[in-house]
Amino acid sequence: MSRHRAVKKLDIEEEFYDEADESLFDEMNDMSEEDTVKMFAGIESVKKAIGSGTGISDQEIKESLWYYYFDEDATVAWLK
């Protein structure tokens, strides 16, 4: 019975909470105007380079561009 209570009281959101994901989200929201322009230009450039129908989301492209500090070639290489 005690395991049942433990599972019943389990906070799923707390278990799946990842500070690293939130940190990346906060950093991307705090971008300067210049970085925002680079991000949107980079997204379009990467989309053209990888083509359509790849199943790669804009969010994945954004995260890759952010990780590689807007290096479009490195982002394309990583996503392919």
Coordinates of all heavy atoms in Angstrom, one line a residue:
M1 N 0.8 -1.2 0.0 CA 0.0 0.0 0.0 C 0.9 1.3 0.0 O 0.5 2.3 -0.6 CB -0.9 -0.1 1.2 CG -2.3 0.5 1.2 SD -3.2 0.0 -0.2 CE -4.5 1.1 0.1
S2 N 2.0 1.2 0.6 CA 2.8 2.4 0.7 C 3.4 2.9 -0.6 O 3.5 4.1 -0.9 CB 4.0 2.2 1.7 OG 4.8 1.2 1.3
R3 N 3.7 1.9 -1.5 CA 4.2 2.3 -2.8 C 3.0 3.0 -3.6 O 3.3 3.9 -4.4 CB 4.6 1.1 -3.6 CG 6.0 0.6 -3.1 CD 6.5 -0.4 -4.0 NE 5.7 -1.6 -3.9 CZ 5.9 -2.7 -4.6 NH1 6.9 -2.8 -5.4 NH2 5.1 -3.7 -4.5
H4 N 1.8 2.6 -3.4 CA 0.7 3.2 -4.1 C 0.6 4.7 -3.7 O 0.3 5.5 -4.5 CB -0.6 2.4 -3.7 CG -1.8 3.1 -4.3 ND1 -2.1 3.1 -5.7 CD2 -2.8 3.8 -3.7 CE1 -3.2 3.7 -5.9 NE2 -3.7 4.2 -4.7
R5 N 0.8 4.9 -2.4 CA 0.7 6.3 -1.9 C 1.8 7.2 -2.5 O 1.6 8.3 -2.8 CB 0.7 6.3 -0.4 CG -0.5 5.9 0.3 CD -0.5 6.1 1.8 NE -1.4 5.2 2.4 CZ -1.2 4.5 3.4 NH1 0.0 4.7 4.1 NH2 -2.0 3.6 3.9
A6 N 3.0 6.6 -2.6 CA 4.2 7.3 -3.1 C 3.9 7.7 -4.6 O 4.2 8.8 -5.0 CB 5.4 6.5 -3.0
V7 N 3.4 6.8 -5.3 CA 3.1 7.0 -6.7 C 1.9 8.0 -6.9 O 2.0 8.9 -7.7 CB 2.7 5.7 -7.5 CG1 2.2 6.0 -8.9 CG2 3.9 4.8 -7.6
K8 N 1.0 7.9 -6.0 CA -0.2 8.8 -6.0 C 0.3 10.3 -5.7 O -0.3 11.2 -6.3 CB -1.2 8.4 -5.0 CG -2.5 9.1 -5.1 CD -3.6 8.5 -4.2 CE -4.9 9.3 -4.3 NZ -5.9 8.7 -3.4
K9 N 1.2 10.4 -4.9 CA 1.7 11.8 -4.5 C 2.8 12.3 -5.4 O 3.3 13.4 -5.2 CB 2.2 11.7 -3.0 CG 1.2 11.5 -2.0 CD 1.7 11.5 -0.6 CE 0.6 11.2 0.4 NZ 1.2 11.2 1.7
L10 N 3.2 11.5 -6.4 CA 4.3 11.8 -7.3 C 3.9 13.1 -8.1 O 2.9 13.1 -8.7 CB 4.6 10.7 -8.2 CG 5.8 10.8 -9.1 CD1 7.1 10.8 -8.3 CD2 5.8 9.6 -10.1
D11 N 4.8 14.1 -8.1 CA 4.6 15.3 -8.9 C 5.3 15.1 -10.3 O 6.5 15.2 -10.4 CB 5.1 16.5 -8.2 CG 4.8 17.8 -9.0 OD1 4.2 17.7 -10.0 OD2 5.3 18.8 -8.5
I12 N 4.5 14.8 -11.3 CA 5.1 14.5 -12.6 C 5.9 15.6 -13.2 O 6.9 15.5 -13.8 CB 4.0 14.0 -13.6 CG1 3.3 12.7 -13.1 CG2 4.5 13.8 -15.0 CD1 4.2 11.5 -13.1
E13 N 5.3 16.8 -13.1 CA 6.0 18.0 -13.6 C 7.3 18.2 -13.0 O 8.3 18.6 -13.6 CB 5.1 19.3 -13.4 CG 3.9 19.2 -14.3 CD 3.0 20.5 -14.2 OE1 3.6 21.5 -13.7 OE2 1.9 20.4 -14.5
E14 N 7.4 18.0 -11.7 CA 8.7 18.1 -11.0 C 9.7 17.1 -11.4 O 10.9 17.4 -11.6 CB 8.5 18.0 -9.5 CG 9.8 18.3 -8.7 CD 9.6 18.2 -7.2 OE1 8.5 18.6 -6.7 OE2 10.5 17.7 -6.5
E15 N 9.2 15.9 -11.7 CA 10.1 14.8 -12.1 C 10.7 15.0 -13.5 O 11.8 14.7 -13.8 CB 9.3 13.5 -12.1 CG 9.0 13.0 -10.8 CD 10.1 12.7 -9.9 OE1 11.1 12.1 -10.3 OE2 10.1 13.1 -8.7
F16 N 9.9 15.7 -14.4 CA 10.3 15.9 -15.8 C 10.9 17.3 -16.0 O 11.3 17.6 -17.1 CB 9.2 15.6 -16.7 CG 8.9 14.2 -16.9 CD1 7.7 13.7 -16.4 CD2 9.7 13.3 -17.5 CE1 7.4 12.3 -16.5 CE2 9.5 12.0 -17.6 CZ 8.3 11.5 -17.1
Y17 N 11.0 18.1 -15.0 CA 11.5 19.4 -15.1 C 13.0 19.4 -15.3 O 13.7 18.6 -14.6 CB 11.2 20.2 -13.8 CG 11.8 21.6 -13.7 CD1 11.2 22.6 -14.5 CD2 12.9 21.9 -13.0 CE1 11.8 23.9 -14.4 CE2 13.5 23.1 -13.0 CZ 12.9 24.1 -13.7 OH 13.4 25.4 -13.7
D18 N 13.5 20.1 -16.3 CA 14.9 20.1 -16.6 C 15.4 21.6 -16.6 O 15.0 22.3 -17.5 CB 15.1 19.4 -18.0 CG 16.6 19.3 -18.3 OD1 17.4 19.6 -17.5 OD2 16.8 18.7 -19.4
E19 N 16.2 21.9 -15.7 CA 16.7 23.3 -15.6 C 17.5 23.7 -16.9 O 17.5 24.8 -17.2 CB 17.6 23.4 -14.4 CG 16.8 23.4 -13.1 CD 17.7 23.6 -11.9 OE1 18.8 24.1 -12.0 OE2 17.2 23.3 -10.8
A20 N 18.2 22.7 -17.5 CA 19.0 23.0 -18.7 C 18.1 23.5 -19.8 O 18.4 24.5 -20.5 CB 19.8 21.8 -19.1
D21 N 16.9 22.9 -20.0 CA 16.0 23.3 -21.0 C 15.5 24.7 -20.7 O 15.4 25.6 -21.6 CB 14.8 22.4 -21.1 CG 15.2 21.0 -21.8 OD1 16.3 21.0 -22.4 OD2 14.4 20.1 -21.6
E22 N 15.1 25.0 -19.5 CA 14.6 26.3 -19.1 C 15.7 27.4 -19.3 O 15.5 28.5 -19.8 CB 14.1 26.3 -17.7 CG 13.5 27.6 -17.4 CD 12.8 27.6 -16.0 OE1 11.9 26.8 -15.8 OE2 13.2 28.4 -15.1
S23 N 17.0 27.0 -19.0 CA 18.1 28.0 -19.1 C 18.3 28.4 -20.6 O 18.4 29.5 -20.9 CB 19.3 27.3 -18.6 OG 20.4 28.1 -18.8
L24 N 18.2 27.4 -21.5 CA 18.4 27.7 -22.9 C 17.2 28.6 -23.4 O 17.5 29.5 -24.1 CB 18.4 26.4 -23.7 CG 18.5 26.5 -25.2 CD1 19.9 27.2 -25.6 CD2 18.4 25.2 -25.9
F25 N 16.0 28.3 -22.9 CA 14.9 29.1 -23.3 C 15.0 30.5 -22.9 O 14.8 31.4 -23.6 CB 13.6 28.4 -22.7 CG 12.3 29.2 -23.0 CD1 11.8 29.1 -24.3 CD2 11.7 30.0 -22.1 CE1 10.6 29.8 -24.6 CE2 10.6 30.7 -22.4 CZ 10.0 30.6 -23.6
D26 N 15.5 30.7 -21.6 CA 15.7 32.1 -21.1 C 16.7 32.8 -21.9 O 16.6 34.0 -22.2 CB 16.0 32.0 -19.6 CG 14.9 31.6 -18.7 OD1 13.7 31.7 -19.2 OD2 15.1 31.2 -17.6
E27 N 17.8 32.1 -22.2 CA 18.9 32.7 -22.9 C 18.5 33.2 -24.3 O 18.8 34.2 -24.8 CB 20.1 31.8 -23.0 CG 20.8 31.6 -21.7 CD 21.9 30.5 -21.9 OE1 22.2 30.1 -23.0 OE2 22.5 30.2 -20.8
M28 N 17.7 32.3 -24.9 CA 17.2 32.7 -26.3 C 16.2 33.8 -26.2 O 16.1 34.6 -27.2 CB 16.6 31.4 -27.0 CG 17.7 30.4 -27.4 SD 17.2 28.9 -28.0 CE 16.0 29.3 -29.2
N29 N 15.4 33.9 -25.2 CA 14.5 35.0 -25.1 C 15.2 36.3 -24.7 O 14.6 37.4 -24.9 CB 13.4 34.7 -24.0 CG 12.4 33.8 -24.5 OD1 12.2 33.7 -25.7 ND2 11.7 33.1 -23.7
D30 N 16.4 36.3 -24.2 CA 17.1 37.5 -23.8 C 18.1 37.9 -24.9 O 19.0 38.7 -24.6 CB 17.9 37.3 -22.5 CG 16.9 37.1 -21.3 OD1 15.8 37.6 -21.4 OD2 17.3 36.5 -20.3
M31 N 17.8 37.5 -26.1 CA 18.7 37.9 -27.2 C 18.7 39.4 -27.5 O 17.6 40.0 -27.4 CB 18.4 37.1 -28.5 CG 18.8 35.7 -28.5 SD 18.7 34.9 -30.1 CE 16.9 34.9 -30.3
S32 N 19.8 39.9 -27.9 CA 19.8 41.3 -28.4 C 19.1 41.4 -29.7 O 18.8 40.4 -30.4 CB 21.2 41.8 -28.5 OG 21.9 41.2 -29.6
E33 N 18.8 42.6 -30.1 CA 18.1 42.8 -31.4 C 19.0 42.3 -32.5 O 18.5 41.7 -33.5 CB 17.9 44.3 -31.6 CG 16.9 44.6 -32.7 CD 16.5 46.1 -32.7 OE1 16.3 46.7 -31.6 OE2 16.5 46.7 -33.8
E34 N 20.3 42.5 -32.4 CA 21.2 42.0 -33.5 C 21.2 40.5 -33.5 O 21.2 39.9 -34.6 CB 22.6 42.5 -33.1 CG 23.7 42.1 -34.1 CD 25.1 42.5 -33.7 OE1 25.2 43.4 -32.9 OE2 26.0 41.9 -34.3
D35 N 21.2 39.8 -32.4 CA 21.2 38.4 -32.3 C 19.8 37.8 -32.9 O 19.8 36.8 -33.5 CB 21.4 37.9 -30.9 CG 22.9 38.0 -30.5 OD1 23.7 38.2 -31.4 OD2 23.1 37.8 -29.3
T36 N 18.8 38.6 -32.6 CA 17.5 38.1 -33.1 C 17.4 38.2 -34.6 O 16.9 37.3 -35.3 CB 16.3 39.0 -32.6 OG1 16.4 39.0 -31.1 CG2 15.0 38.6 -33.0
V37 N 18.0 39.2 -35.2 CA 18.1 39.3 -36.7 C 19.0 38.2 -37.2 O 18.6 37.5 -38.2 CB 18.7 40.7 -37.1 CG1 19.0 40.7 -38.6 CG2 17.7 41.8 -36.7
K38 N 20.1 37.9 -36.6 CA 21.0 36.8 -37.0 C 20.2 35.5 -36.9 O 20.4 34.6 -37.8 CB 22.2 36.7 -36.1 CG 23.2 37.7 -36.3 CD 24.4 37.5 -35.4 CE 25.4 38.6 -35.4 NZ 26.5 38.3 -34.5
M39 N 19.4 35.3 -35.9 CA 18.7 34.0 -35.7 C 17.7 33.8 -36.8 O 17.6 32.7 -37.4 CB 18.0 34.1 -34.3 CG 17.1 32.8 -34.0 SD 18.1 31.3 -33.9 CE 18.8 31.5 -32.2
F40 N 16.9 34.8 -37.1 CA 15.9 34.6 -38.2 C 16.5 34.5 -39.5 O 16.0 33.7 -40.4 CB 14.9 35.8 -38.2 CG 13.9 35.7 -37.0 CD1 13.9 36.6 -36.0 CD2 12.9 34.7 -37.0 CE1 13.0 36.5 -34.9 CE2 12.1 34.5 -35.9 CZ 12.1 35.5 -34.9
A41 N 17.6 35.2 -39.8 CA 18.3 35.0 -41.1 C 18.9 33.6 -41.1 O 18.9 33.0 -42.2 CB 19.4 36.1 -41.2
G42 N 19.4 33.2 -40.0 CA 20.1 31.9 -40.0 C 19.0 30.7 -40.2 O 19.3 29.8 -40.8
I43 N 17.9 30.9 -39.6 CA 16.8 29.9 -39.7 C 16.4 29.7 -41.2 O 16.4 28.6 -41.7 CB 15.6 30.3 -38.9 CG1 15.9 30.1 -37.4 CG2 14.4 29.4 -39.3 CD1 14.8 30.6 -36.5
E44 N 16.3 30.8 -41.9 CA 15.9 30.8 -43.3 C 17.0 30.2 -44.1 O 16.8 29.3 -45.0 CB 15.6 32.2 -43.8 CG 14.3 32.8 -43.2 CD 13.1 31.9 -43.4 OE1 12.9 31.3 -44.5 OE2 12.4 31.7 -42.4
S45 N 18.2 30.5 -43.8 CA 19.4 30.0 -44.6 C 19.5 28.5 -44.4 O 19.8 27.7 -45.3 CB 20.7 30.7 -44.1 OG 21.8 30.2 -44.7
V46 N 19.4 28.1 -43.1 CA 19.5 26.6 -42.8 C 18.4 25.8 -43.5 O 18.6 24.8 -44.0 CB 19.6 26.4 -41.3 CG1 19.4 25.0 -40.9 CG2 20.8 27.0 -40.7
K47 N 17.2 26.4 -43.4 CA 16.0 25.7 -44.1 C 16.3 25.5 -45.6 O 16.0 24.4 -46.1 CB 14.8 26.5 -43.9 CG 14.1 26.3 -42.6 CD 12.8 27.2 -42.5 CE 12.0 26.9 -41.3 NZ 10.8 27.7 -41.3
K48 N 16.9 26.5 -46.2 CA 17.2 26.4 -47.6 C 18.3 25.3 -47.9 O 18.2 24.6 -48.8 CB 17.6 27.7 -48.2 CG 16.5 28.7 -48.4 CD 17.0 30.1 -48.9 CE 15.9 31.1 -48.9 NZ 16.4 32.4 -49.3
A49 N 19.2 25.3 -47.0 CA 20.4 24.4 -47.2 C 20.0 22.9 -46.9 O 20.4 22.0 -47.6 CB 21.5 24.8 -46.2
I50 N 19.1 22.7 -45.9 CA 18.7 21.3 -45.6 C 17.5 20.8 -46.5 O 17.3 19.6 -46.5 CB 18.5 21.1 -44.1 CG1 17.3 21.9 -43.6 CG2 19.7 21.3 -43.3 CD1 16.9 21.6 -42.2
G51 N 16.8 21.7 -47.0 CA 15.7 21.4 -47.9 C 14.4 21.1 -47.1 O 14.5 21.0 -45.8
S52 N 13.3 20.9 -47.8 CA 12.1 20.7 -47.1 C 11.8 19.2 -46.9 O 12.5 18.3 -47.6 CB 10.9 21.3 -47.9 OG 10.9 20.7 -49.2
G53 N 10.9 18.8 -46.1 CA 10.6 17.4 -45.9 C 11.6 16.6 -45.0 O 11.6 15.4 -45.0
T54 N 12.4 17.3 -44.3 CA 13.4 16.7 -43.4 C 12.8 16.3 -42.1 O 13.4 15.5 -41.3 CB 14.7 17.5 -43.2 OG1 14.3 18.7 -42.6 CG2 15.4 17.8 -44.5
G55 N 11.8 17.0 -41.7 CA 11.2 16.8 -40.4 C 11.9 17.5 -39.3 O 11.6 17.3 -38.1
I56 N 12.8 18.4 -39.6 CA 13.5 19.2 -38.6 C 12.7 20.4 -38.3 O 12.4 21.2 -39.2 CB 14.9 19.5 -39.1 CG1 15.7 18.2 -39.3 CG2 15.6 20.4 -38.1 CD1 17.0 18.5 -40.0
S57 N 12.4 20.6 -37.0 CA 11.5 21.8 -36.6 C 12.4 23.0 -36.5 O 13.6 23.0 -36.4 CB 10.9 21.5 -35.3 OG 11.9 21.5 -34.2
D58 N 11.6 24.2 -36.5 CA 12.3 25.5 -36.3 C 13.0 25.5 -35.0 O 14.0 26.1 -34.9 CB 11.3 26.6 -36.4 CG 10.8 26.9 -37.9 OD1 11.4 26.2 -38.8 OD2 10.0 27.7 -38.1
Q59 N 12.4 24.9 -34.0 CA 13.0 24.9 -32.6 C 14.3 24.2 -32.6 O 15.3 24.7 -32.0 CB 12.0 24.3 -31.6 CG 12.5 24.3 -30.2 CD 12.6 25.8 -29.7 OE1 11.9 26.6 -30.1 NE2 13.6 26.0 -28.8
E60 N 14.4 23.1 -33.3 CA 15.7 22.4 -33.4 C 16.8 23.2 -34.2 O 17.9 23.2 -33.8 CB 15.5 21.0 -34.2 CG 14.8 20.0 -33.4 CD 14.4 18.8 -34.2 OE1 13.8 18.9 -35.3 OE2 14.8 17.7 -33.7
I61 N 16.3 23.9 -35.2 CA 17.2 24.8 -35.9 C 17.7 25.9 -35.0 O 18.9 26.3 -34.9 CB 16.6 25.3 -37.2 CG1 16.3 24.2 -38.2 CG2 17.5 26.4 -37.8 CD1 15.4 24.6 -39.4
K62 N 16.8 26.5 -34.3 CA 17.1 27.6 -33.3 C 18.1 27.2 -32.3 O 19.1 27.9 -32.0 CB 15.8 28.1 -32.6 CG 14.9 29.0 -33.4 CD 13.8 29.4 -32.5 CE 12.7 30.2 -33.3 NZ 11.6 30.5 -32.5
E63 N 17.9 26.0 -31.7 CA 18.8 25.5 -30.7 C 20.1 25.2 -31.2 O 21.2 25.5 -30.6 CB 18.2 24.3 -30.0 CG 17.0 24.6 -29.2 CD 16.3 23.3 -28.7 OE1 16.7 22.2 -28.9 OE2 15.2 23.5 -28.0
S64 N 20.2 24.7 -32.4 CA 21.5 24.5 -33.1 C 22.2 25.7 -33.4 O 23.4 25.9 -33.2 CB 21.3 23.6 -34.3 OG 20.8 22.4 -34.0
L65 N 21.5 26.7 -34.0 CA 22.1 28.0 -34.3 C 22.6 28.6 -33.0 O 23.7 29.2 -33.0 CB 21.1 28.9 -35.0 CG 20.9 28.7 -36.4 CD1 19.6 29.4 -36.9 CD2 22.1 29.0 -37.3
W66 N 21.9 28.6 -31.9 CA 22.3 29.2 -30.7 C 23.5 28.5 -30.1 O 24.5 29.1 -29.7 CB 21.2 29.1 -29.7 CG 21.5 29.8 -28.4 CD1 21.8 29.2 -27.2 CD2 21.5 31.2 -28.1 NE1 22.0 30.1 -26.2 CE2 21.8 31.3 -26.8 CE3 21.2 32.3 -28.9 CZ2 21.9 32.6 -26.2 CZ3 21.3 33.5 -28.3 CH2 21.7 33.7 -26.9
Y67 N 23.5 27.2 -30.2 CA 24.7 26.4 -29.7 C 26.0 26.7 -30.5 O 27.0 26.9 -29.9 CB 24.4 24.9 -29.8 CG 25.5 24.0 -29.3 CD1 25.7 23.8 -28.0 CD2 26.4 23.4 -30.2 CE1 26.7 23.0 -27.5 CE2 27.5 22.7 -29.7 CZ 27.6 22.4 -28.4 OH 28.6 21.7 -27.9
Y68 N 25.8 26.8 -31.8 CA 27.0 27.1 -32.7 C 27.2 28.6 -32.9 O 27.9 29.0 -33.8 CB 26.9 26.4 -34.0 CG 27.0 24.9 -33.9 CD1 26.0 24.1 -34.1 CD2 28.3 24.4 -33.5 CE1 26.1 22.7 -33.9 CE2 28.4 23.0 -33.4 CZ 27.4 22.2 -33.6 OH 27.5 20.8 -33.5
Y69 N 26.5 29.5 -32.1 CA 26.6 30.9 -32.2 C 26.4 31.4 -33.6 O 27.3 32.1 -34.2 CB 27.9 31.4 -31.5 CG 27.8 32.9 -31.2 CD1 27.0 33.3 -30.2 CD2 28.4 33.9 -32.0 CE1 26.8 34.7 -29.9 CE2 28.3 35.2 -31.7 CZ 27.5 35.6 -30.7 OH 27.4 37.0 -30.4
F70 N 25.3 31.0 -34.1 CA 24.8 31.5 -35.5 C 25.7 31.0 -36.6 O 25.7 31.6 -37.7 CB 24.6 33.0 -35.5 CG 23.8 33.5 -34.4 CD1 24.3 34.2 -33.4 CD2 22.4 33.2 -34.3 CE1 23.5 34.7 -32.3 CE2 21.6 33.6 -33.3 CZ 22.2 34.4 -32.2
D71 N 26.5 30.0 -36.4 CA 27.3 29.4 -37.5 C 26.4 28.5 -38.3 O 26.2 27.4 -37.9 CB 28.5 28.7 -36.9 CG 29.5 28.2 -38.0 OD1 29.1 28.1 -39.2 OD2 30.6 27.9 -37.7
E72 N 26.0 29.0 -39.5 CA 25.1 28.3 -40.3 C 25.6 27.0 -40.9 O 24.9 26.0 -40.9 CB 24.5 29.2 -41.4 CG 23.8 30.4 -40.9 CD 23.5 31.5 -41.9 OE1 23.7 31.2 -43.1 OE2 23.1 32.6 -41.5
D73 N 26.9 27.0 -41.3 CA 27.5 25.8 -41.8 C 27.6 24.7 -40.8 O 27.3 23.5 -41.1 CB 28.9 26.1 -42.4 CG 28.9 27.0 -43.6 OD1 27.9 27.0 -44.3 OD2 29.8 27.8 -43.8
A74 N 28.0 25.0 -39.6 CA 28.1 24.0 -38.5 C 26.7 23.5 -38.1 O 26.5 22.3 -37.9 CB 28.7 24.7 -37.3
T75 N 25.7 24.4 -38.2 CA 24.3 24.0 -37.9 C 23.8 23.0 -38.9 O 23.2 22.0 -38.6 CB 23.4 25.2 -37.8 OG1 23.8 26.1 -36.7 CG2 21.9 24.8 -37.5
V76 N 24.0 23.3 -40.2 CA 23.6 22.4 -41.3 C 24.3 21.1 -41.1 O 23.7 20.0 -41.3 CB 23.9 23.1 -42.7 CG1 23.7 22.1 -43.8 CG2 23.0 24.3 -42.9
A77 N 25.6 21.1 -40.9 CA 26.3 19.8 -40.7 C 25.8 19.0 -39.5 O 25.7 17.8 -39.7 CB 27.8 20.1 -40.5
W78 N 25.4 19.7 -38.5 CA 24.9 19.0 -37.3 C 23.5 18.4 -37.6 O 23.2 17.2 -37.2 CB 24.8 19.9 -36.1 CG 24.1 19.3 -34.9 CD1 22.9 19.6 -34.5 CD2 24.6 18.3 -34.0 NE1 22.5 18.9 -33.4 CE2 23.6 18.1 -33.1 CE3 25.8 17.6 -33.9 CZ2 23.8 17.1 -32.1 CZ3 25.9 16.7 -32.9 CH2 24.9 16.5 -32.0
L79 N 22.7 19.1 -38.3 CA 21.3 18.7 -38.5 C 21.2 17.6 -39.6 O 20.2 16.9 -39.6 CB 20.4 19.9 -38.8 CG 20.2 20.9 -37.7 CD1 19.5 22.1 -38.1 CD2 19.5 20.2 -36.5
K80 N 22.1 17.6 -40.5 CA 22.0 16.6 -41.6 C 22.3 15.2 -41.2 O 22.7 14.5 -40.6 CB 22.9 17.0 -42.8 CG 22.2 18.0 -43.6 CD 23.0 18.2 -44.9 CE 22.2 19.0 -45.9 NZ 22.8 19.2 -47.1

